[in-house]
Amino acid sequence: MTADIGVLWPQTVPNMRIALGFIVALSACATPAVQRIAAPAGGPPSSASVETPNTALAPPRLAADTPMSTVEGATFIAPAGWTVVVRGRATVLEPPEADSHIALVDVRAGDADAAVAAAWAAYRPDARWPLKVTAPAPDKDGWTDIRVYEYQTSPHENREVAARARRAGDTWTVAIYDMSQAVGEKRLGAVLAIFGRLLPKGYVRESFAGKRANRLDAARIARLSAWVETAMKELRVPGVAVGVVQDGKVVFADGFGVRELGRKEKPDADTLFMIASNTKAMTTLMLAKAVDEKKLTWDTPVTSVLPTFKLGDAETTRQMHVRHLVCACTGVPRQDLEWKLQFEGLTPTGVVAMVGTMQPTSKFGELFQYSNLLAAAGGFVGGHALYPNLELGAAYDEAMRTRVFEPLGMKETTFDVVKAQKGNHASPHAPDIDGTPRKAIAGYNPAQVPMRPSGGAWSSVRDVLAFVAGELAEGVLPGGKRYIARDALLARRAPQVVIDGDHSYGMGLIVETTYGTPLIWHNGGQIGFQSAMMWLPEHGVGAVVLTNSDSGEDLRAVFSRKLLEVLFDGKPEADADVAAHAQKLYDGLAADRKQLVSPADATEVAKLAKRYVSDTLGELTVIQMGAATVFDFGEWKSEVASRRNPDGSTSFITTTPGVAWEF
């Protein structure tokens, strides 16, 4: 390295809004935005007497996920491998890593602010993180008066801190999230298990099990369309395309808004969007076809297909079977920075080689840990099994064309970025630092090309609906011809790893049972695009949502709930959910903006070197353009703002819409 790279280091913060229930659907597949969630409310917590646990005898670690309750009887799931200690009003959960905790504190208080202050006094009266932003959330799951609190941490803490207050009767239950970034990412499934089943004493969540879905007639489609249009406006999403299929027939396929800000063309069923990680389910379908054709099995050792493959060390490599590449179950962390910051010249062969630098941080099948690099390698391995004489990328492309896109009638789907952007396509957008929708950075899309099996496809509502219809028909094409053996197709839905009590990950697919009836889905997020596909196999209904903005993340996250409400006349929650997400998103951006100095503080900029080099992350050049400071990464560049952190350090934040990276 030249210069001290430790002085200027990108903070890759997992979006822990998920963990605290700020989003109702998992965002495992979204591009991690560098949003620092920082925890006490209503002023700093007052000092108070706290029961000190007997540390001479460490509490036992749970052998399995265990139903438990807080002091006042709110129920939750305590994850396997964690410990639980009760200190007065606080129930404190600790993962195997002792630097992180979740506290569930029952208090009596006049309002949410007072409840959170009392909770901090019971859990950590010494905590002094400044409050960054607070926002209300809609009533849900028997809780009322819900309010979310985020706190400002400093980068060198490598920590995320937040709180969420909720009331049932005369008791407030405050959930405090106080975890290191690394542990929060590694233990995401366990965190989701805790918060996903945190319910008031005696409360039973709404269930659609055993119910029959309503016919999606014009009136119900109108309700769904009206919700999408309202959500677009609240979240400031320029354009959305939506499709719904029921009993093999497309009942709706169209778009709303505009394909690009400043232009009049609206998206429709044939508009191409980048679908990002929804590509994974299509990749695993290609692998299923290879299994069906007996080119490999799910349990074939990877090295017997691609001898050059390796992972971490020889023993781990030996254990890797084909299913492990696409199951998010091997304990391999994301490690996305390597290809996100240094993708020029990266090839599929280079991606597979990059996997060789990775080592699992947990046992196979133990934890849900999402890996784009492994999934990409899985696609290239499948392509190589089918076309061993072609270059890895060409083999994958040909395998997808012949085994997935053409048989299913996905006529417009492509991995060719230039081709996709020549015709009817949507442009990427994101809020700028002032919360105004803007066109997002365009030069970043090529980063996904060498990684395309994990998220590089461009597709349309019509094409993705064809994929979903094939899933609902369990491998039978519209004309009645069997396209793939049922067992090979359905193997992708079998749980490979439990995410939480209501979600499991198969192979490129998530199976959810939150509301009683199975919902199979996946999400996708790439700069300026957010998408989702989903289907209810027991009811013959599927849907696709494609958006052209980062703020579309909250729309596609809540869409599945609205679909369930329309299908089963469920409790009306989705409207309030999306409104709350919009308020929290833009309140958070406003809070961030108040702390930013733009252009960046000249005194702090003067302390920077002109050039930084890392063997892993590539090269960064600092350029002065008048008053503006620009970070040039070679593949892309952005002006930066500066921010003074609570510990006195300075962060630089890229401000080009879509790339809010913090250094």
Side-chain angles (χ1 to χ4, degrees):
M1 299 180 187
T2 62
D4 181 3
I5 199 68
V7 173
L8 196 65
W9 196 253
Q11 302 292 313
T12 54
V13 181
N15 192 342
M16 294 313 301
R17 292 186 301 161
I18 311 163
L20 287 171
F22 303 152
I23 294 180
V24 300
L26 299 171
S27 290
C29 338
T31 301
V34 181
Q35 301 176 49
R36 301 192 51 81
I37 295 180
S46 59
S47 59
S49 61
V50 179
E51 294 183 24
T52 303
N54 182 0
T55 56
L57 295 174
R61 298 206 173 274
L62 299 173
D65 288 357
T66 305
M68 288 190 173
S69 59
T70 65
V71 172
E72 291 290 341
T75 56
F76 65 95
I77 302 295
W82 291 47
T83 62
V84 182
V85 174
V86 177
R87 302 202 307 254
R89 310 293 293 178
T91 302
V92 182
L93 296 92
E94 181 182 278
E97 300 82 5
D99 64 342
S100 300
H101 299 87
I102 289 173
L104 306 176
V105 190
D106 292 327
V107 299
R108 303 286 200 281
D111 59 21
D113 284 359
V116 172
W120 277 101
Y123 164 61
R124 274 195 64 178
D126 62 326
R128 289 295 183 271
W129 289 290
L131 178 64
K132 174 184 169 183
V133 66
T134 178
D139 295 351
K140 194 174 184 67
D141 285 336
W143 298 107
T144 63
D145 302 324
I146 302 173
R147 194 165 190 86
V148 178
Y149 300 79
E150 296 184 6
Y151 300 85
Q152 185 68 50
T153 61
S154 296
H156 294 294
E157 295 179 83
N158 295 311
R159 195 163 204 81
E160 306 301 328
V161 187
R164 187 180 184 96
R166 66 201 86 192
R167 186 174 64 82
D170 62 353
T171 301
W172 291 86
T173 297
V174 179
I176 296 175
Y177 179 91
D178 175 17
M179 299 186 74
S180 75
Q181 294 166 6
V183 174
E185 181 175 357
K186 180 178 179 179
R187 303 286 173 183
L188 176 60
V191 173
L192 289 165
I194 296 168
F195 292 123
R197 294 284 188 90
L198 181 57
L199 300 170
K201 182 179 180 180
Y203 181 82
V204 178
R205 179 180 279 154
E206 179 181 36
S207 175
F208 304 125
K211 295 186 177 182
R212 185 172 181 174
N214 287 301
R215 174 64 47 192
L216 291 171
D217 56 18
R220 293 182 186 276
I221 290 296
R223 282 174 53 195
L224 199 60
S225 299
W227 180 88
V228 170
E229 291 190 278
T230 299
M232 278 177 54
K233 293 174 183 176
E234 291 176 328
L235 290 163
R236 306 176 198 175
V237 179
V240 178
V242 175
V244 184
V245 61
Q246 185 171 39
D247 297 333
K249 296 181 179 180
V250 175
V251 295
F252 182 82
D254 204 354
F256 309 88
V258 295
R259 301 192 319 226
E260 181 179 321
L261 284 173
R263 300 178 66 92
K264 295 181 180 180
E265 298 89 353
K266 84 175 192 66
D268 57 29
D270 297 308
T271 301
L272 292 179
F273 295 74
M274 180 173 273
I275 63 170
S277 285
N278 285 304
T279 310
K280 289 182 174 68
M282 298 173 187
T283 294
T284 65
L285 181 57
M286 178 269 287
L287 285 168
K289 281 290 291 181
V291 170
D292 195 24
E293 296 175 20
K294 303 189 182 333
K295 298 293 185 180
L296 47 76
T297 73
W298 295 116
D299 294 315
T300 297
V302 177
T303 52
S304 70
V305 182
L306 187 65
T308 57
F309 175 86
K310 65 177 181 176
L311 177 68
D313 57 40
E315 178 58 22
T316 307
T317 301
R318 185 188 64 78
Q319 299 175 51
M320 287 292 291
H321 296 165
V322 170
R323 73 172 67 245
H324 295 135
L325 297 170
V326 289
C327 68
C329 67
T330 33
V332 173
R334 292 187 76 115
Q335 287 190 224
D336 283 343
L337 272 181
E338 288 88 336
W339 61 273
K340 285 182 178 294
L341 283 175
Q342 192 174 199
F343 56 83
E344 187 175 6
L346 185 62
T347 65
T349 299
V351 168
V352 174
M354 196 177 290
V355 171
T357 67
M358 303 167 69
Q359 182 72 4
T361 59
S362 60
K363 297 177 182 177
F364 283 22
E366 181 182 13
L367 296 176
F368 168 73
Q369 287 188 264
Y370 197 77
S371 172
N372 285 305
L373 280 162
L374 269 188
F380 294 133
V381 166
H384 184 70
L386 291 167
Y387 296 99
N389 295 323
L390 295 180
E391 177 269 333
L392 288 181
Y396 171 76
D397 294 345
E398 185 65 6
M400 292 298 289
R401 182 183 70 82
T402 58
R403 278 16 181 234
V404 179
F405 300 154
E406 286 189 354
L408 293 178
M410 300 172 66
K411 299 178 180 179
E412 302 300 326
T413 304
T414 182
F415 296 109
D416 187 331
V417 178
V418 175
K419 178 182 176 182
Q421 295 180 336
K422 280 184 178 179
N424 177 2
H425 74 282
S427 297
H429 300 82
D432 65 13
I433 60 174
D434 296 309
T436 303
R438 305 284 187 194
K439 285 192 67 175
I441 186 171
Y444 196 84
N445 287 334
Q448 202 64 57
V449 173
M451 293 281 295
R452 53 192 178 277
S454 68
W458 286 74
S459 193
S460 66
V461 157
R462 193 179 307 280
D463 276 12
V464 183
L465 273 183
F467 176 87
V468 169
E471 293 283 351
L472 285 168
E474 297 184 343
V476 176
L477 297 175
K481 179 182 177 182
R482 177 155 290 281
Y483 150 69
I484 185 173
R486 182 174 181 271
D487 289 348
L489 178 87
L490 296 185
R492 297 152 53 244
R493 307 180 192 177
Q496 303 298 314
V497 64
V498 173
I499 300 174
D500 61 25
D502 298 312
H503 302 82
S504 63
Y505 201 89
M507 289 182 275
L509 293 170
I510 293 170
V511 179
E512 176 183 356
T513 56
T514 301
Y515 297 106
T517 188
L519 176 71
I520 301 173
W521 59 272
H522 212 278
N523 287 337
Q526 177 61 297
I527 290 175
F529 296 102
Q530 292 287 332
S531 59
M533 61 180 179
M534 63 205 73
W535 58 93
L536 294 117
E538 294 180 352
H539 303 279
V541 176
V544 177
V545 182
L546 308 179
T547 80
N548 63 352
S549 176
D550 285 353
S551 59
E553 178 182 3
D554 291 319
L555 188 153
R556 54 93 163 153
V558 186
F559 180 87
S560 61
R561 172 64 204 185
K562 188 63 183 181
L563 179 64
L564 291 173
E565 291 174 12
V566 171
L567 283 170
F568 299 104
D569 294 322
K571 297 176 183 177
E573 296 179 353
D575 299 59
D577 279 351
V578 79
H581 288 320
Q583 179 176 347
K584 182 177 181 297
L585 171 63
Y586 290 102
D587 283 356
L589 288 172
D592 285 335
R593 184 66 181 90
K594 290 179 181 178
Q595 299 180 12
L596 295 181
V597 177
S598 182
D601 186 296
T603 302
E604 297 300 325
V605 170
K607 300 176 184 177
L608 296 175
K610 297 298 182 185
R611 181 171 173 266
Y612 296 83
V613 176
S614 164
D615 292 339
T616 303
L617 301 180
E619 183 173 324
L620 163 62
T621 304
V622 180
I623 302 171
Q624 207 63 38
M625 301 178 66
T629 302
V630 173
F631 282 6
D632 188 341
F633 303 94
E635 290 85 348
W636 59 278
K637 59 186 176 183
S638 172
E639 184 179 347
V640 296
S642 59
R643 186 191 68 220
R644 191 77 166 171
N645 298 311
D647 65 356
S649 64
T650 296
S651 288
F652 294 92
I653 296 93
T654 53
T655 59
T656 298
V659 284
W661 292 72
E662 177 182 356
F663 295 80

